[in-house]
Amino acid sequence: MLRTAARRLPRLVTALCLLALVLVGCSPEHYPQTTLLPRGDFARIADDLLDTTVKWALLVFVLVEGVLIYAIFRFRGKPGDPEPHQTHGNTTVEIVWTVIPALILAAIAVPTVRAIFQTSATPGKDALTIEVVGHQWWWEFRYPEYNLTTANEIHVPVGRTVSLRMGSADVIHSFWVPQFAGKRDVFANRETRMWFKAEVEGEYPAQCGEFCGIQHARMAYRIKAQKSDEFRAWVAHMQTLGPKPPPGAPPGPKPQPGAHPGPKPKPAASGNAAPGVRTATAGATLQQHGQPGGPQGQHYASGEQLFMTKGCVGCHSLQAVNAPKGMVGPNLANVGARSYIAAGTLKNTDENLARWIRNPQGIKKGVLMPNLGVTEAEAQALVAYLRAHQ
Ligand code: CUA
């Protein structure tokens, strides 16, 4: 009976190990912040390396534990046995158990070193450069090729390598988009680089990967991988979100490409806005909705006023084009269109945006945005104004 048990045990151990692995890795799609479901070349290199290492580790584990358990049962002592033969060293066995691990380590070292070189390579000239700046506790993204700035939501084209040049405005953070690439720390006064190529479109969560203060956990961001034409459309749209023309400038019938007519107020939720309103020039749209008596327009106008007088404008830029550098708060040029606010903390609904504006310290204690004593009505106006910035 013991013999049967001894024969079954290694199989049982193997089965349990495999089961544990399967349970851990069975449905990574339910956990979007997983590294086990790579969606880009950089992440795949790391994932392949992990697979290789785990396979070797599993082989070693099963062999060693199998032999151990076999020996325990096969050679166990029984009452009355004579003293077993004593051994003191065995040169052959010692050479074997030195050489085998050395070979296994070599088999792991070769792909590891190769992966280090591959992931540290400098991307080609056709890569899209994105500058990344970590802040306590949000992310700034700049596209020098397009003269665009945004925050907490990074857009990348599928199939084109992005070259990240990263730094920090304060403490050490770590840029981490699990399904596209590994972590890389960002520092003040020192540039770190990374690259990856998104291969599957979609919206992916990402997270600061280095403890950076009490709101480190709320330093999340989103990455939107888009087909190249969608990405180009996004860029073209963002390029309309530049400085407003000076007050009193004659409203042109059509904005020049690169001229920046300012944001469009969102049509009222009751939604009797005619189709095409959003494609009308912003000036015209603003006028339509800014009619005296139009509630949305009034909200927008008083929100704009409050944005200036409450001090928001001191920390936040509303320009995607030619955005000033060194702002304390995230760029809000397209805040109305983002999925989340407060760096991944809240879904970007009107209710949450109002809550956030009224009480940032209650939602994200220690954040640099102070509670400004905004009333409920003022928050509604600011929400209408910000929502229009899409
Ligand atoms: Cu930034 Cu953790």
Side-chain angles (χ1 to χ4, degrees):
M1 202 193 93
L2 266 177
R3 288 248 174 120
T4 325
R7 253 181 278 132
R8 277 186 190 157
L9 209 58
R11 261 182 278 165
L12 186 68
V13 170
T14 315
L16 282 177
C17 293
L18 286 175
L19 182 68
L21 267 183
V22 167
L23 286 178
V24 168
C26 59
S27 51
E29 59 273 13
H30 296 151
Y31 306 96
Q33 209 153 291
T34 178
T35 55
L36 300 176
L37 199 64
R39 298 297 198 203
D41 47 3
F42 188 117
R44 183 162 303 105
I45 292 169
D47 191 54
D48 288 349
L49 191 57
L50 177 70
D51 287 351
T52 305
T53 312
V54 167
K55 277 176 197 158
W56 278 108
L58 208 60
L59 181 72
V60 170
F61 177 82
V62 169
L63 282 179
V64 170
E65 294 303 305
V67 170
L68 176 68
I69 288 165
Y70 173 77
I72 286 172
F73 284 95
R74 176 71 181 77
F75 301 109
R76 71 199 306 226
K78 294 170 206 71
D81 276 357
E83 185 168 324
H85 173 65
Q86 301 296 305
T87 54
H88 299 280
N90 182 319
T91 311
T92 315
V93 171
E94 280 171 21
I95 288 174
V96 168
W97 72 42
T98 305
V99 168
I100 291 178
L103 290 176
I104 293 174
L105 286 181
I108 293 174
V110 170
T112 302
V113 172
R114 188 170 56 218
I116 289 171
F117 277 95
Q118 282 173 335
T119 54
S120 313
T122 308
K125 290 230 183 320
D126 54 340
L128 169 67
T129 298
I130 302 178
E131 294 168 1
V132 176
V133 185
H135 296 255
Q136 277 177 318
W137 291 279
W138 59 280
W139 292 91
E140 177 180 352
F141 302 113
R142 292 176 166 268
Y143 298 74
E145 188 177 325
Y146 307 117
N147 190 20
L148 286 180
T149 299
T150 188
N152 294 334
E153 225 165 76
I154 181 173
H155 290 242
V156 299
V158 166
R160 183 176 173 193
T161 299
V162 293
S163 168
L164 303 167
R165 309 176 70 146
M166 308 191 284
S168 168
D170 35 56
V171 301
I172 300 174
H173 306 273
S174 185
F175 182 93
W176 188 36
V177 189
Q179 286 184 271
F180 287 130
K183 289 176 188 164
R184 191 135 305 168
D185 283 5
V186 303
F187 306 88
N189 303 319
R190 185 185 139 191
E191 187 184 84
T192 43
R193 296 189 177 194
M194 192 163 63
W195 60 266
F196 64 84
K197 183 167 71 189
E199 287 167 351
V200 184
E201 55 184 303
E203 185 176 334
Y204 302 87
Q207 172 67 41
C208 177
E210 176 79 35
F211 182 71
C212 56
I214 56 169
Q215 294 299 348
H216 154 70
R218 296 200 182 94
M219 191 169 165
Y221 51 112
R222 313 289 289 181
I223 177 157
K224 290 189 174 173
Q226 298 174 303
K227 286 195 193 120
S228 57
D229 51 341
E230 284 170 23
F231 176 74
R232 274 200 302 275
W234 178 77
V235 167
H237 167 69
M238 289 295 280
Q239 280 174 335
T240 66
L241 307 180
K244 282 186 170 185
K254 252 190 176 182
Q256 297 297 312
H260 313 298
K264 302 175 280 287
K266 191 189 176 189
S270 54
N272 55 356
V277 146
R278 292 197 53 185
T279 56
T281 68
T285 318
L286 185 58
Q287 277 170 10
Q288 272 177 19
H289 290 272
Q291 297 291 348
Q296 202 63 22
Q298 273 178 356
H299 259 133
Y300 180 91
S302 55
E304 183 173 31
Q305 183 76 23
L306 285 163
F307 194 83
M308 307 301 161
T309 54
K310 281 284 178 185
C312 316
V313 71
C315 296
H316 296 283
S317 171
L318 289 164
Q319 296 170 206
V321 181
N322 286 330
K325 288 196 175 188
M327 296 298 276
V328 173
N331 186 293
L332 299 179
N334 66 335
V335 67
R338 292 182 196 151
S339 312
Y340 285 81
I341 53 168
T345 305
L346 296 172
K347 286 236 180 205
N348 188 4
T349 63
D350 288 357
E351 294 71 31
N352 283 339
L353 192 51
R355 271 176 66 207
W356 172 250
I357 290 167
R358 294 199 65 194
N359 187 13
Q361 295 297 326
I363 292 167
K364 197 168 166 181
K365 187 175 165 53
V367 70
L368 289 181
M369 179 160 147
N371 286 13
L372 292 164
V374 177
T375 67
E376 184 62 47
E378 288 171 336
Q380 297 301 329
L382 280 163
V383 167
Y385 179 62
L386 292 175
R387 185 63 66 211
H389 287 77
Q390 305 216 347

